[in-house]
Amino acid sequence: MTSTATRPRGARARAAIAAKTLRTDRWWFAPLITVIGLSAWVAYATVRVFMHKWYWVDQYHYLTPFYSPCVTDRCVEGAAHFGRFLPGWWIIPDAALTLPFLLLFRLTCYYYRKAYYRSFWLSPPACAVPDKHDSYSGETRFPLLGQNLHRYFFYAAAIISLINTWDAVLAFHSPEGFGFGLGNIVLLVNVVMLWAYTISCHSCRHIIGGRLKHFSKHPVRYKAWTGVSWLNVRHMQLAWITLGTLALTDFYVMAVAAGWFNDLRFIN
Ligand code: FES
């Protein structure tokens, strides 16, 4: 039985039931698929970030989001839109300026918190399934206290989405001038999805419509808040979709850069 000292205030002791849980459905499926999905994505991203090659298609100016902006002295000139001011040690990602913020943005995201608390920490793995830990302190202590910094990482993520948008615009390029290919569609879809995920953030919703006493006196903010709220209820789906579009975009750029296949061109 959980001791009173470690139990959340107001919580009651669990009823004396011998069974681990009375749930008979596949409650373990969601945590399991989350572990598999997140682990696979992190493994892929880690390999790609430290590969230090096949991130830029010079002919069409395609830059993978995993290397944007490219800021080490190892970056090829065309890909370094913001200068090359960091040393090119292998341990330093070429997008060292943005990747830590993106990682922290996702790590502190309300949805991902729920996902990895349940699936990796089993705390608890599902509703009506006991927590695997004896004590519970919520997010009141270090390091989980840092989850409250999420709203600041949101601002960083918004700036990074602007940079990714700029990359997508610059990619309308061909050796003859303007160009348009399948790679542009891939980059654009990724950017649209990244914006949808970023704007659907709970912190963004609060920034847009929080701390107001009367929506009727702020019709523009109310309208914006309504739009953000529509996206916000789809935040979980967008969290997963953007993991997919990020990996897919990176893979597409890598494949074209490596010469595994050619970009399908519609114009030039
Ligand atoms: S709550 Fe998920 S990104 Fe902010």
Side-chain angles (χ1 to χ4, degrees), residues 105-106 108-113 150-151 153-154 157 197-205 232 235-236 239:
F105 181 53
R106 299 247 171 186
T108 58
C109 163
Y110 291 24
Y111 164 67
Y112 285 115
R113 270 143 80 173
H150 181 67
R151 71 198 76 171
F153 299 135
F154 162 76
Y197 170 69
T198 307
I199 290 172
S200 70
C201 167
H202 292 69
S203 294
C204 174
R205 185 167 177 264
N232 181 255
H235 193 58
M236 178 184 81

Side-chain angles (χ1 to χ4, degrees), residues 54-130:
W54 297 335
Y55 55 86
W56 169 250
V57 180
D58 195 43
Q59 203 178 4
Y60 306 128
H61 290 189
Y62 293 160
L63 177 64
T64 162
F66 287 2
Y67 285 72
S68 173
C70 210
V71 293
T72 68
D73 58 20
R74 185 178 41 225
C75 296
V76 297
E77 198 175 331
H81 305 139
F82 294 83
R84 295 177 286 188
F85 46 85
L86 290 182
W89 302 333
W90 77 267
I91 194 71
I92 298 183
D94 291 308
L97 216 56
T98 48
L99 289 185
F101 291 104
L102 286 179
L103 180 66
L104 289 167
F105 181 53
R106 299 247 171 186
L107 215 57
T108 58
C109 163
Y110 291 24
Y111 164 67
Y112 285 115
R113 270 143 80 173
K114 173 188 147 188
Y116 65 73
Y117 287 171
R118 287 191 170 194
S119 56
F120 286 87
W121 291 0
L122 308 175
S123 180
C127 294
V129 178

